[in-house]
Amino acid sequence: MMVNEPSAVQPSATPDDPARVAEFEARIARGESIEPKDWMPERYRKQLTRMMSQHAHSEIVGMLPEGNWITRAPNLRRKMALIAKVQDEAGHGLYIYCGTETLGTDRQELVQQLLDGKAKYSSIFNYPTLTWADIGCIGWFVDGAAIVNQTMLAKASYGPYARAMVRICKEENFHKRQGYEIMATLANGTPEQRAMAQDAVNRWWWPSLMMFGPHDAESSNSEELVRWGVKKKGNDELRQRFVNLTVAQATAINLTLPDPALQYNEQTENWDFGPIDWDEFWRVVKGDGPCNRERLAARRDAHAAGEWVRVAAAAYAAKQQRSATEAA
Ligand code: FAQ
């Protein structure tokens, strides 16, 4: 993330009418879906725009580490699956940008914020994909974590976001399976393939836990987002759910999660895990991760290379408009 400090949404200058806020919160308490034309507090709109645009940017930047391996996939079947996956991520980004537009912010403006290094995207996409096993690990861990997080968001109070999440989660499930299958194949392969799989697990495990965001006590946005039904669970609960699910999956393919403190807790029925390196997390969030600069440079290059398409599309639309006016 090429940004400076965490920028929690600022309170809006003009406070919303308390009676309308109370009515809005009563709707949320009744489990009603908030739709684009409904009244909503300005801060709800801003918080959603912040979170959804970060999510959309993550999907688009998230194409880069995997796209990097399309030409090097080990066989045609793997190549086809990977192309489809990367294409799906582009689709997810587009649904979510469209969802954000329903809140009144143009996609162009959001993309510009990303290109200017002013917008956040998920920390996980600032790590390099060094071997083919990294592609398996992204599907297994990163899509796995995304499913845990987004299954909850599919029940979010804002209708367009929740509906986008339903479809996205279906596709992420397929992505996770293709990743886990790659890992299972490598783990059962030659000693070199096994070592490659274990090395990828060692490098991707902790950054995947960071995807869920800071501990709840440090999470500046959670309290408000949970109150407004956007987040249904806090960061820590979702991270714990991901750990609980993943331990058994690792055991099934004889790979070891790189955490000596990982231990089943009979009382809580959770897998306890060791401390996360939050210094590393914030370094990456603030723009100083292993690939932050490379990722933004790639997005800027892609945007510049696509300029002619935008110009052509605008010229075509203008021509269609002229023809329609002349015919009328
Ligand atoms: N990376 O107060 P909180 C995917 C920031 S999609 C960077 O807890 P919040 C699919 C946070 O923005 C992955 N920054 O924040 C795929 C805030 O800063 P701000 C993306 C992070 O919003 C797979 C500050 O820290 N998924 O993987 C991160 O309540 C494979 C304080 O944090 C989503 O975006 C982080 N990991 O909770 C694609 C899901 N964590 O804005 C391609 C939707 C926190 O105040 C290939 N988003 N920060 O300046 C969410 O669920 C939430 O936004 C959280 C963060 C949970 C990410």
Side-chain angles (χ1 to χ4, degrees):
M1 228 167 276
M2 297 299 287
V3 286
N4 305 318
E5 296 296 325
S7 54
V9 172
Q10 298 303 310
S12 62
T14 46
D16 290 305
D17 174 2
R20 292 192 100 173
V21 174
E23 193 186 321
F24 171 83
E25 291 189 341
R27 288 192 63 196
I28 292 195
R30 288 196 296 271
E32 287 178 28
S33 179
I34 307 300
E35 296 299 330
K37 289 185 180 161
D38 295 347
W39 185 87
M40 61 187 79
E42 265 321 291
R43 197 167 161 84
Y44 177 85
R45 187 186 300 279
K46 278 191 185 168
Q47 273 284 27
L48 268 173
T49 305
R50 176 194 67 83
M51 183 167 146
M52 289 168 66
S53 63
Q54 287 179 7
H55 190 170
H57 297 328
S58 302
E59 300 281 356
I60 298 299
V61 178
M63 295 165 74
L64 295 168
E66 290 177 289
N68 184 26
W69 275 88
I70 289 172
T71 53
R72 291 177 285 167
N75 60 46
L76 184 60
R77 178 169 168 267
R78 296 286 189 215
K79 193 188 288 276
M80 283 164 58
L82 185 58
I83 290 174
K85 179 186 191 302
V86 173
Q87 216 165 20
D88 284 351
E89 310 299 0
H92 299 174
L94 297 187
Y95 306 151
I96 306 172
Y97 281 130
C98 288
T100 315
E101 285 187 315
T102 67
L103 292 160
T105 308
D106 194 57
R107 180 167 116 200
Q108 189 52 46
E109 190 181 330
L110 299 175
V111 170
Q112 199 55 51
Q113 288 169 4
L114 174 70
L115 299 177
D116 290 345
K118 291 181 184 156
K120 285 188 166 73
Y121 59 85
S122 182
S123 50
I124 193 74
F125 301 116
N126 292 306
Y127 290 85
T129 40
L130 303 179
T131 70
W132 173 248
D134 290 30
I135 301 306
C137 230
I138 290 181
W140 177 21
F141 287 169
V142 178
D143 287 271
I147 292 167
V148 169
N149 172 264
Q150 292 168 193
T151 305
M152 282 297 143
L153 292 175
K155 297 176 193 154
S157 55
Y158 189 56
Y161 193 33
R163 289 189 289 274
M165 287 304 114
V166 172
R167 175 158 177 185
I168 289 175
C169 281
K170 286 184 184 160
E171 294 178 351
E172 304 289 30
N173 265 300
F174 159 76
H175 297 169
K176 182 184 168 189
R177 282 173 201 207
Q178 70 85 40
Y180 190 64
E181 197 210 354
I182 291 173
M183 295 307 274
T185 305
L186 293 174
N188 284 308
T190 63
E192 289 80 8
Q193 286 171 327
R194 228 194 119 57
M196 186 166 81
Q198 184 61 54
D199 174 61
V201 165
N202 295 348
R203 286 181 291 105
W204 286 90
W205 175 246
W206 290 105
S208 299
L209 296 192
M210 294 174 195
M211 279 178 74
F212 292 90
H215 286 311
D216 294 339
E218 312 292 323
S219 163
S220 43
N221 303 293
S222 276
E223 190 273 326
E224 194 167 48
L225 290 173
V226 170
R227 180 155 53 85
W228 278 334
V230 176
K231 278 179 158 182
K232 294 286 178 181
K233 307 262 184 215
N235 300 352
D236 287 318
E237 189 175 343
L238 293 178
R239 183 170 16 246
Q240 183 67 62
R241 180 166 167 69
F242 171 72
V243 172
N244 291 351
L245 289 169
T246 313
V247 170
Q249 292 159 10
T251 308
I253 55 174
N254 282 319
L255 290 172
T256 307
L257 299 175
D259 180 359
L262 202 58
Q263 195 176 9
Y264 189 67
N265 184 326
E266 301 278 354
Q267 275 182 340
T268 61
E269 299 185 346
N270 286 318
W271 282 86
D272 291 340
F273 53 94
I276 292 173
D277 182 348
W278 292 112
D279 288 343
E280 174 181 326
F281 171 75
W282 288 115
R283 251 198 330 274
V284 177
V285 170
K286 289 175 186 175
D288 199 18
C291 298
N292 295 59
R293 288 165 192 81
E294 190 184 317
R295 299 292 181 240
L296 263 198
R299 283 311 313 153
R300 287 182 183 132
D301 286 352
H303 193 75
E307 177 64 15
W308 70 271
V309 179
R310 291 188 295 278
V311 169
Y316 181 72
K319 189 175 162 198
Q320 295 291 97
Q321 180 74 38
R322 273 199 307 278
S323 308
T325 316
E326 278 160 23

